[in-house]
């Protein structure tokens, strides 16, 4: 898919967890991919097709159609705390409706709680760890 660069968020594959991270434009910090939003945007915007990355809006994150072909929202393993707070209520409702998961956002790492993402995801029993590989 191509993105023009006016997207609010970028989603990218995080290969160690078999999931994806999502970062929003307002987050200035480093992501678990070792890249900032600006770094990711330079690879993803302007009509460039970069496998493993996708530009999208904030409200799409909690959609039943978000990454449906790749396993859906269960793939989300990290996002900035502010973004998680913004979409959390809707994301939790979608996770409960589709997968029966209560408080799904508690399983998603962020910059304040996940110094060791693999240990955090294992401790939380994150569903992405048991899913088929995306690559």
């Amino acid at each position: 898919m191509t993105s023009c660069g006016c997207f609010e968020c970028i989603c990218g594959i995080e290969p160690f967890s078999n999931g994806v991270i999502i970062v929003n434009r307002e987050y200035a910090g480093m992501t678990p991919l070792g890249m900032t939003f600006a770094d990711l945007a330079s690879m993803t915007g302007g009509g460039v097709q970069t496998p493993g990355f996708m530009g999208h809006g904030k409200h799409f994150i909690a959609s039943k159609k978000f990454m449906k072909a790749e396993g859906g929202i269960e793939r989300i393993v990290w996002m900035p705390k502010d973004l998680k707070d913004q979409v959390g209520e809707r994301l939790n409702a979608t996770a409960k409706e589709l997968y029966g998961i209560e408080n799904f956002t508690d399983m998603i790492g962020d910059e304040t709680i996940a110094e060791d993402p693999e240990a955090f995801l294992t401790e939380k029993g994150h569903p992405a760890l048991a899913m088929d590989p995306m690559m």
Side-chain angles (χ1 to χ4, degrees):
M1 93 171 252
T2 62
S3 298
C4 69
C6 59
F7 39 74
E8 295 176 297
C9 300
I10 298 173
C11 176
I13 294 175
E14 199 291 303
F16 297 110
S17 66
N18 198 33
V20 297
I21 66 103
I22 300 173
V23 63
N24 57 319
R25 186 173 298 277
E26 297 82 13
Y27 182 67
M30 192 65 64
T31 69
L33 301 180
M35 300 162 85
T36 64
F37 180 90
D39 296 333
L40 292 166
S42 69
M43 296 176 30
T44 310
V48 176
Q49 292 182 341
T50 306
F53 296 92
M54 170 178 73
H56 58 85
K58 291 178 183 177
H59 290 292
F60 187 51
I61 297 168
S63 169
K64 294 176 187 176
K65 294 182 179 182
F66 182 78
M67 292 187 53
K68 188 174 182 179
E70 290 80 20
I73 63 170
E74 287 185 301
R75 292 278 186 190
I76 303 170
V77 297
W78 187 93
M79 66 175 69
K81 182 169 180 5
D82 286 342
L83 179 60
K84 201 163 55 164
D85 291 344
Q86 288 176 38
V87 302
E89 189 175 317
R90 289 183 59 229
L91 186 57
N92 282 334
T94 301
K96 184 174 182 178
E97 181 181 340
L98 294 179
Y99 310 109
I101 300 172
E102 296 280 344
N103 301 314
F104 179 60
T105 56
D106 292 344
M107 299 174 127
I108 299 172
D110 64 52
E111 75 277 12
T112 68
I113 58 174
E115 290 182 20
D116 181 355
E118 289 183 69
F120 174 79
L121 296 172
T122 301
E123 174 189 323
K124 296 295 182 179
H126 197 289
L129 299 174
M131 296 175 85
D132 290 335
M134 288 187 286
M135 302 189 298

